[in-house]
């Protein structure tokens, strides 16, 4: 059986790494089932060292077999370029299945290209919905799900969404969260990272860590509008008076902060907010594990903080991952300056939200996916 997997942007790499491990494990112990021939395609949607290559090193992902060199552009440019280049790979390699993960432009483009040439597509992290169609990811999720043949879901809410949209239940497989596989696999290594020492938050032999909060921001709705970004920045001014903020800044956000001339004034031009380059995965996990709390508009970080049971303030008004709120440590605070400050103060007062880990977020999701794909192929 020949499988082609597609990655393109930062959050794809931690989702594909466990699948590569599960495929390798299957091939070692496969008899009497068929072996899997696997090829990895990197679209090049993200291309900076800190947004791409570092994850190949940290997650021990082999060099991609194909690099499509798509780069940045408008939605149509990115999606169209991936389709044109990926179709060539499919004509050449003729795989039995295309695996896509998450909700980025490379995801929708690869799934659409595959099914149009009659190659089945499997979507990992299917069924998530924010119900906000102004988010480019929401369109990507809906279209990827409607065209895919296998829908691997992380939580029961995703199954419900797919069934409500009329997708046949035979296509839906509740397998858990593949991103959690990566987290659990790398947690011990992450605890050895020296990132806190590098940031001056601890010393080599010290058992104490200076309390800090970890911030990430990159949603267009938060960072592309000066007004919305200023609402968040105003909250950061207050919060950073109480606790230092570590801010690995996404390239989109750094560009916008520069363009809006916000970087040279408080809170950024002080030690209270440390703006750093995006970090590798191992360092970032360490920063999450040791943070007093996390502020983010990321999708995946809402899940990681739920597994680590670190309070998370999500700087959005919706989430496609509602289980992180109903069961996990996540609270939606949007760009509401007062709410961000209030919830931060509550956490600093020892009243942070505690949660529990959703079922099937156990580190074995990728193995379940490989078993399902193989057993269906044998029918
Ligand atoms: C993309 C995904 C988003 C995901 C995020 C993860 C889509 C529609 N969006 O958003 O779902 O949460 O990745 O990080 O697919 N840039 C660089 N270097 C890079 C990559 C990007 O400088 O290596 C800059 C470019 O100016 C680019 C901008 O960031 O125009 C945005 O990149 P893009 O891939 O279009 O979207 P993201 O905001 O990264
Ligand atoms: N991440 C990282 N370094 C950073 C920021 C995030 O390694 O500086 C990791 C994080 O641990 C998670 C993933 O990137 O695994 C989330 O990606 P991102 O927030 O870019 O995308 P989203 O999940 O919102 O689609």
């Amino acid at each position: 059986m020949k499988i082609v997997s597609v990655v393109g942007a930062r959050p794809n790499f931690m989702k594909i790494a466990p699948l590569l491990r599960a495929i390798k494990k299957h091939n070692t112990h496969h008899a009497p089932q068929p072996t899997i021939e696997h090829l990895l395609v990197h679209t090049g949607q993200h291309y900076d060292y800190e947004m791409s290559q570092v994850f190949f090193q940290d997650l021990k992902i082999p060099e991609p077999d194909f690099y499509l060199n798509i780069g940045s552009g408008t939605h149509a440019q990115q999606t169209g370029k991936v389709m044109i280049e990926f179709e060539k790979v499919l004509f050449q390699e003729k795989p039995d299945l295309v695996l896509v993960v998450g909700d980025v432009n490379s995801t929708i483009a690869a799934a659409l290209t595959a099914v149009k040439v009659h190659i089945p597509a499997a979507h990992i992290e299917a069924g998530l919905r924010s119900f906000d169609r102004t988010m480019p990811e929401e369109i990507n999720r809906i279209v990827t799900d409607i065209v895919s043949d296998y829908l691997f879901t992380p939580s029961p809410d995703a199954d419900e969404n797919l069934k409500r949209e009329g997708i046949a239940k035979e296509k839906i497989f509740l397998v858990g969260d593949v991103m959690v596989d990566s987290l659990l696999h790398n947690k011990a290594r992450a605890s050895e990272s020296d990132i806190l020492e590098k940031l001056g938050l601890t010393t080599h032999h010290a058992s104490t860590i200076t309390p800090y909060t970890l911030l990430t921001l990159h949603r267009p709705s938060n960072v592309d509008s000066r007004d919305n970004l200023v609402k968040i920045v105003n909250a950061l001014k207050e919060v950073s008076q109480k606790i230092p903020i570590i801010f690995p800044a996404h390239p989109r956000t750094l560009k916008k902060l520069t363009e809006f001339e916000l970087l040279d004034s408080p809170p950024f031009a002080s030690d209270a907010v440390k703006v750093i380059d995006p970090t590798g995965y191992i360092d970032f996990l360490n920063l999450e594990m040791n943070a007093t709390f996390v502020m983010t508009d990321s999708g995946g970080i809402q899940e990681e903080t739920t597994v680590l049971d670190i309070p998370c303030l999500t700087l959005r008004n919706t989430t496609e991952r509602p289980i992180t709120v109903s069961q996990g440590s996540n609270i939606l605070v949007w760009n509401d300056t007062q709410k961000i400050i209030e919830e931060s103060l509550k956490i600093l007062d020892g009243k942070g939200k505690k949660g529990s880990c959703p079922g099937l977020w156990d580190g074995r999701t990728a193995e379940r996916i490989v078993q399902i794909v193989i057993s269906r192929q044998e029918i």
Side-chain angles (χ1 to χ4, degrees), residues 269-338:
S270 73
D271 281 346
V273 179
K274 215 172 201 138
V275 183
I276 59 172
D277 283 340
T279 75
Y281 181 68
I282 296 295
D283 286 345
F284 195 81
L285 278 190
N286 185 293
L287 284 167
E288 280 184 278
M289 286 155 64
N290 289 299
T292 304
F293 66 103
V294 173
M295 290 186 277
T296 191
D297 59 11
S298 158
I301 294 171
Q302 296 173 61
E303 295 173 345
E304 290 170 347
T305 47
T306 276
V307 175
L308 297 168
D309 206 14
I310 301 287
C312 178
L313 302 183
T314 293
L315 305 164
R316 293 174 43 191
N317 61 340
T318 59
T319 178
E320 61 289 331
R321 292 157 164 94
I323 201 163
T324 62
V325 175
S326 60
Q327 199 173 327
S329 55
N330 189 17
I331 297 176
L332 303 186
V333 291
W334 199 12
N335 55 25
D336 181 333
T337 311
Q338 278 320 311

Side-chain angles (χ1 to χ4, degrees), residues 104-157:
V104 302
N105 284 344
S106 300
T107 310
I108 183 182
L112 197 51
T113 310
V115 297
K116 285 219 158 195
V117 295
H118 305 146
I119 296 170
H123 184 204
I124 293 161
E125 205 181 86
L128 297 182
R129 297 288 181 269
S130 67
F131 303 101
D132 174 1
R133 288 200 181 205
T134 65
M135 284 183 84
E137 296 81 6
E138 184 73 353
I139 307 297
N140 293 346
R141 293 179 200 116
I142 293 169
V143 178
T144 306
D145 286 342
I146 200 82
V147 300
S148 292
D149 302 81
Y150 294 83
L151 298 161
F152 292 112
T153 59
S155 48
D157 53 282

Side-chain angles (χ1 to χ4, degrees), residues 180-191:
V180 178
D181 288 14
S182 262
L183 192 164
L184 298 179
H185 185 78
N186 290 291
K187 211 173 150 190
R189 266 175 73 216
S191 64

Side-chain angles (χ1 to χ4, degrees), residues 3 15 89 126 137 141 208 222 246 277 303 306 319 351:
I3 297 181
K15 293 171 194 173
V89 175
E137 296 81 6
R141 293 179 200 116
T208 52
N222 278 335
I246 304 296
D277 283 340
E303 295 173 345
T306 276
T319 178
K351 295 181 187 133

Side-chain angles (χ1 to χ4, degrees), residues 152-308:
F152 292 112
T153 59
S155 48
D157 53 282
D159 291 44
E160 292 309 312
N161 291 334
L162 293 173
K163 285 181 201 154
R164 203 179 39 251
E165 289 172 17
I167 289 178
K169 64 177 188 315
E170 293 71 32
K171 289 184 174 179
I172 306 171
F173 303 91
L174 176 60
V175 288
D177 190 337
V178 81
M179 214 168 180
V180 178
D181 288 14
S182 262
L183 192 164
L184 298 179
H185 185 78
N186 290 291
K187 211 173 150 190
R189 266 175 73 216
S191 64
E192 303 293 314
S193 149
D194 61 357
I195 185 74
L196 296 184
E197 223 180 303
K198 284 189 182 147
L199 293 172
L201 294 163
T202 190
T203 51
H204 186 50
H205 292 295
S207 50
T208 52
I209 293 170
T210 308
Y212 65 92
T213 175
L214 178 65
L215 168 72
T216 81
L217 265 181
H218 69 271
R219 292 285 153 219
S221 58
N222 278 335
V223 306
D224 288 3
S225 141
R226 192 178 199 281
D227 288 350
N228 289 345
L229 189 52
V230 164
K231 288 186 200 167
I232 294 172
V233 169
N234 285 340
L236 299 179
K237 274 185 206 159
E238 295 292 319
V239 175
S240 63
Q241 308 263 310
K242 309 278 179 199
I243 183 166
I245 298 175
I246 304 296
F247 180 22
H250 187 286
R252 171 192 283 274
T253 310
L254 203 58
K255 279 185 190 147
K256 288 294 171 185
L257 283 168
T258 310
E259 181 189 323
F260 298 148
E261 297 180 352
L262 292 169
L263 265 187
D264 291 331
S265 33
F268 296 113
S270 73
D271 281 346
V273 179
K274 215 172 201 138
V275 183
I276 59 172
D277 283 340
T279 75
Y281 181 68
I282 296 295
D283 286 345
F284 195 81
L285 278 190
N286 185 293
L287 284 167
E288 280 184 278
M289 286 155 64
N290 289 299
T292 304
F293 66 103
V294 173
M295 290 186 277
T296 191
D297 59 11
S298 158
I301 294 171
Q302 296 173 61
E303 295 173 345
E304 290 170 347
T305 47
T306 276
V307 175
L308 297 168

